[in-house]
Amino acid sequence: MMTFKRFLFFVAFVAILFVPQKHYGQDEPAFEFVFEVKKVYPPVSISKNDLDNANSLIDLNKRYEQSWVREYKMVEITAVCNGELQKAIGPNDILTQDQKDLMFCADPKTNIFVRVEYIPENNLSIREVKEMDFSFTLQPSRDAEFVGGPVKLKKYLEETVLKHIDVANFKQYQLAAYKFTIDADGHVLNPTITSSSEDEATDQLLINAICNMPLWEPAKFYDRSTGKQEFVLAVGDMNSCVVPLLSINQ
């Protein structure tokens, strides 16, 4: 006689047999297929609001290694202000008013450079003065945008690319990536293959689609000037190990 536990096991087994199993057909990959344009972030960048409220080096660069420092000798900030290269020097990681004024005055499309001279935090009997530096850029107050917005951009890419490629050619963890720059006038510049689709015809189709894009609205800064900005067209699986190399997350 079948016990109650065996009966439950038998019912569960039969249910598994008759549950429809999902099979990925030729046009449906076994992962979430992504086809979108993403902003590329510079190595270190900061918003105008965060810059205005910065009081120390860690406020300028979250990756700044203040734990390395036992004693500061000098912190120098260099920036282009009204077309002229200027410097402001402070005694430590706390920003002086002169340094803040210089950064506030800095031309928004130029890099701001920070140089630190310090005695390192270590166990050596003789501690030599070391130097470390970094630079950062100011983020636009408004990112560059395809005329008509994301909806128009998606439609453009669907019509020029998606209709002409076989999604089934993309494997799991495979991501093709194509970087390009939108200049201060909204033109597309320097489209490059960062990660190939492994199909020459597909790569060329995607590069052509980028090259033939209509004018964008360029990135705009707080002083109403426009500047260049970098983007990447990502196609495939966003779980790919290629993603961290694209600088699309901050």
Side-chain angles (χ1 to χ4, degrees):
M1 178 179 293
M2 183 179 295
T3 65
F4 183 68
K5 286 186 177 180
R6 288 184 178 180
F7 174 75
L8 289 178
F9 176 80
F10 175 76
V11 171
F13 178 74
V14 172
I16 290 172
L17 289 178
F18 287 93
V19 170
Q21 300 297 311
K22 184 172 183 178
H23 298 283
Y24 292 97
Q26 183 177 4
D27 297 324
E28 188 178 9
F31 58 89
E32 183 181 357
F33 182 79
V34 172
F35 191 93
E36 57 190 1
V37 172
K38 293 182 173 289
K39 177 174 65 175
V40 175
Y41 289 92
V44 183
S45 64
I46 188 171
S47 70
K48 179 63 167 59
N49 183 65
D50 287 344
L51 181 61
D52 290 344
N53 292 296
N55 291 307
S56 66
L57 296 185
I58 197 69
D59 295 329
L60 302 177
N61 180 4
K62 301 303 182 186
R63 300 188 184 97
Y64 173 66
E65 296 289 353
Q66 57 186 354
S67 61
W68 292 357
V69 178
R70 180 183 184 89
E71 176 187 342
Y72 285 93
K73 292 298 183 180
M74 179 269 290
V75 172
E76 177 187 79
I77 293 181
T78 306
V80 176
C81 181
N82 297 322
E84 180 182 347
L85 192 65
Q86 300 184 25
K87 296 181 180 180
I89 295 176
N92 51 44
D93 62 324
I94 304 302
L95 301 171
T96 67
Q97 191 58 51
D98 286 345
Q99 290 173 326
K100 292 181 180 181
D101 291 343
L102 175 57
M103 292 188 295
F104 181 80
C105 163
D107 296 346
K109 290 172 287 188
T110 59
N111 286 348
I112 297 174
F113 297 90
V114 178
R115 185 169 68 89
V116 181
E117 291 185 0
Y118 67 102
I119 301 294
E121 182 63 75
N122 56 42
N123 295 321
L124 299 179
S125 57
I126 300 176
R127 296 187 175 93
E128 297 180 350
V129 175
K130 299 291 185 180
E131 183 177 308
M132 60 179 164
D133 55 63
F134 65 89
S135 65
F136 63 93
T137 57
L138 192 64
Q139 297 170 3
S141 56
R142 190 200 69 189
D143 291 329
E145 186 176 79
F146 189 86
V147 175
V151 174
K152 287 285 187 180
L153 176 58
K154 182 179 180 181
K155 183 178 180 182
Y156 169 81
L157 293 174
E158 286 176 346
E159 292 177 349
T160 56
V161 180
L162 271 183
K163 290 181 179 180
H164 306 285
I165 64 174
D166 187 356
V167 174
N169 288 335
F170 286 83
K171 305 177 182 66
Q172 191 170 19
Y173 305 124
Q174 178 189 2
L175 184 75
Y178 311 84
K179 284 189 175 181
F180 60 96
T181 300
I182 302 298
D183 71 9
D185 296 317
H187 296 102
V188 176
L189 298 179
N190 306 321
T192 57
I193 302 172
T194 305
S195 176
S196 173
S197 67
E198 302 179 6
D199 179 75
E200 185 176 346
T202 299
D203 285 341
Q204 192 59 56
L205 181 67
L206 287 158
I207 289 292
N208 289 343
I210 292 171
C211 290
N212 295 328
M213 283 181 180
L215 278 177
W216 284 48
E217 291 286 345
K220 186 169 287 188
F221 293 85
Y222 68 92
D223 64 352
R224 298 186 180 180
S225 65
T226 57
K228 64 182 181 180
Q229 195 171 22
E230 196 173 15
F231 292 84
V232 62
L233 171 59
V235 184
D237 187 358
M238 291 298 288
N239 290 313
S240 168
C241 60
V242 173
V243 172
L245 305 178
L246 301 179
S247 301
I248 56 178
N249 299 313
Q250 189 178 51

